[in-house]
Amino acid sequence: MSTNLEQSVAAARKQLDEQTVKIVRLHFDPELGAPFWLEKAKTYDFDPLTDVNCFDDLKKFPLFEDDWLRGGPVTRFLPKKWHNEPKYVFETGGTTGTPKSRCVVRDHWIDYEEFSRTLPDEHFPPGSNWLMLGPSGPRRLRLAVEHLCQYRGGICFCVDLDPRWVVKLLKKGDVQGAKAYADHVIDQAVTVLNSGHDVKCAFATPKLLEALAMRLIDDGSSIAEAGITGIFAGGTEFTPQWYRFCKEELLGPDVFITPTYGNTLMGLACGKPFDPADNFKITYFAPQPRAAVEVVEFDDYSKVVEYGGTGRVKLYTLTEELFIPGFMERDEGEREQPHEKYPWDGVSGTRPFHEIAKATTVGVY
C-alpha cells in the first residue's frame, strides 16, 4: 500500500470513528434520540453515550435483528429530532408477511447526492433527462433516482413496476405470466424512449436492461441509438461475466455503465473503476462514513475475514436518521483492499448468502 493511500485510509478511519460517536450520541440522546434505542439502552450493560468512542466500540451492541424492522410504529427508529419534519416510509424486502420498512426525512436525498459526485459528466451530462427502469411503489429507489436526476438538472421518466407480483407468479410456476409482466414493463420503457423526451441517462436492473436492449435490437435499434449515454445498474445479478456480455453485445463502446450495490438501509455502494487486468472484477465500497460494511466469518460474525477471504456481509448504518450497529445482510462475498478513490475495505463477488440462497426467488430485478 502506498504512503498516500495509507494516509487516506487513516483519515477515513478517523472520520468513521467521529461519525460513529456523533450518531450514537444523537440516537441515544434522552431528549432528541430514537424511541427504539432509548428503550433498548435500558437492557445494556454499558452506556452508549459514554462507552462508544470509536467504530470498533459498536461491537459492544448485540447484532441487529431483521424482524425489528417489521411493523410499526415506523417512527421508532427515527430520532425525535426529526419527528416534526415531513417523512417518507420506504419498504425493503417483504415478498411474504409484513415488509421491513424505515422512516426517512432526508437520507435518500443525501445518499444520491453523494453518489452523483461519482458519476462522470461526459456520460451522465448535467441537465439530461433520465429513464427509471426499476421497482416503484413503496421502495425508495424510484424517488431516489428521481431526486438524483433532478439534482443533476434533469427530468425523470419512471415506469410502473411491482416486483412482488413477478415473484408471486414465479413461485406458482407461471413463467409465461412473469414474462408477460416483464414485457409490459419494457413496453413502457420503449414508449418513453420513442416519445421525443431526449433521455440520455438511465437506471436499470441487469435483467430489465438486458430485456430493453434485446427489444430495441429486435426493433432495429439499440440502447446507443435510442440516445442513452450513461447507465447505472444495481443488484447481485451484475457479475463480471454479465458486464462483458452487456458491453460487447448490448451496449457497445459508446454507452457507459457503472455497477452499484445498495439497499434501503445502506444507501449506495459504488463500484471501483473496471480494470481488464483483474478480469473486470466488481468491487463495491460502502458510502462511508454514513454506512460501513465488513466481510465477517460465517461462524463468528464478530471477526472480519482476511483480505481475499470469503464471508458474510455485515452492515452498519450511521446517519442522523437511522442507526444500525451490525445488520447481517443476505449476501456474501470477498473482502477487498482499500482503493485510492474509496480508502476503506471493499467487498467483491457479492451473491446471495449460501445458507438462504436456495430458498430465494429472484424476480424481474
Side-chain angles (χ1 to χ4, degrees):
M1 193 182 292
S2 69
T3 304
N4 284 347
L5 183 53
E6 283 182 0
Q7 290 172 344
S8 297
V9 168
R13 186 65 184 206
K14 181 172 182 285
Q15 189 182 30
L16 181 60
D17 287 340
E18 291 170 353
Q19 178 84 352
T20 299
V21 173
K22 181 179 88 168
I23 295 308
V24 168
R25 287 186 181 165
L26 169 61
H27 284 262
F28 290 90
D29 183 282
E31 302 297 323
L32 300 177
F36 178 89
W37 290 118
L38 291 174
E39 194 61 34
K40 266 289 180 224
K42 298 173 185 175
T43 68
Y44 296 148
D45 58 2
F46 67 98
D47 184 352
L49 290 174
T50 57
D51 297 337
V52 175
N53 298 298
C54 64
F55 176 73
D56 283 342
D57 284 343
L58 294 180
K59 300 283 194 296
K60 295 176 180 178
F61 290 92
L63 285 176
F64 190 92
E65 293 183 26
D66 194 273
D67 283 345
W68 290 345
L69 293 169
R70 299 184 195 276
V74 76
T75 53
R76 66 192 182 281
F77 287 100
L78 187 72
K80 294 175 192 170
K81 172 182 179 178
W82 303 109
H83 279 205
N84 292 326
E85 298 292 325
K87 293 175 279 292
Y88 300 85
V89 175
F90 297 132
E91 292 181 4
T92 174
T95 303
T96 57
T98 304
K100 291 172 285 183
S101 56
R102 67 167 288 200
C103 190
V104 177
V105 177
R106 297 163 56 249
D107 264 356
H108 61 305
W109 297 340
I110 298 168
D111 288 340
Y112 277 71
E113 287 170 18
E114 292 292 321
F115 172 65
S116 177
R117 295 181 176 87
T118 73
L119 296 177
D121 286 351
E122 64 267 32
H123 299 291
F124 297 88
S128 297
N129 294 338
W130 283 62
L131 169 67
M132 161 59 189
L133 186 54
S136 51
R139 292 155 204 84
R140 86 170 199 158
L141 193 59
R142 184 256 148 150
L143 282 180
V145 171
E146 186 165 49
H147 179 72
L148 170 68
C149 171
Q150 292 172 348
Y151 183 72
R152 297 182 66 83
I155 298 167
C156 189
F157 294 85
C158 304
V159 302
D160 195 17
L161 194 168
D162 177 9
R164 290 179 187 162
W165 180 243
V166 180
V167 170
K168 281 186 176 179
L169 291 173
L170 291 174
K171 280 189 170 177
K172 64 182 184 182
D174 187 359
V175 177
Q176 286 305 112
K179 185 180 182 308
Y181 188 80
D183 288 343
H184 163 65
V185 173
I186 298 305
D187 288 343
Q188 298 173 62
V190 171
T191 299
V192 170
L193 293 178
N194 289 341
S195 297
H197 294 306
D198 194 27
V199 172
K200 287 190 172 69
C201 309
F203 168 84
T205 67
K207 280 187 175 180
L208 289 171
L209 176 59
E210 188 173 327
L212 175 61
M214 297 304 288
R215 172 75 68 83
L216 290 171
I217 289 168
D218 288 344
D219 292 345
S221 181
S222 68
I223 295 284
E225 287 178 49
I228 292 175
T229 59
I231 298 169
F232 93 86
T236 53
E237 305 264 307
F238 201 128
T239 63
Q241 295 81 4
W242 185 84
Y243 170 76
R244 296 186 76 166
F245 162 73
C246 186
K247 283 295 289 179
E248 292 168 8
E249 304 293 335
L250 304 180
L251 302 182
D254 298 327
V255 182
F256 180 90
I257 183 167
T258 184
T260 55
Y261 165 79
N263 56 40
T264 306
L265 304 182
M266 173 172 63
L268 272 178
C270 296
K272 80 172 177 64
F274 283 108
D275 182 359
D278 63 8
N279 294 316
F280 297 93
K281 180 163 66 175
I282 298 170
T283 301
Y284 295 112
F285 294 87
Q288 276 191 211
R290 292 170 52 77
V293 158
E294 293 177 328
V295 182
V296 298
E297 294 184 0
F298 292 124
D299 55 1
D300 186 348
Y301 292 154
S302 68
K303 290 185 180 175
V304 176
V305 302
E306 298 293 320
Y307 285 115
T310 300
R312 191 168 176 183
V313 178
K314 185 178 183 180
L315 168 69
Y316 301 83
T317 304
L318 299 165
T319 80
E320 288 206 348
E321 298 175 20
L322 185 65
F323 170 63
I324 295 184
F327 179 91
M328 299 313 301
E329 291 278 17
R330 297 169 66 90
D331 300 317
E332 62 182 60
E334 283 70 50
R335 182 188 179 199
E336 297 291 339
Q337 295 269 6
H339 184 269
E340 289 175 9
K341 194 174 179 183
Y342 307 105
W344 48 82
D345 285 3
V347 56
S348 68
T350 52
R351 53 200 178 270
F353 176 45
H354 64 273
E355 287 185 16
I356 56 176
K358 291 173 186 164
T360 302
T361 302
V362 178
V364 76
Y365 84 109

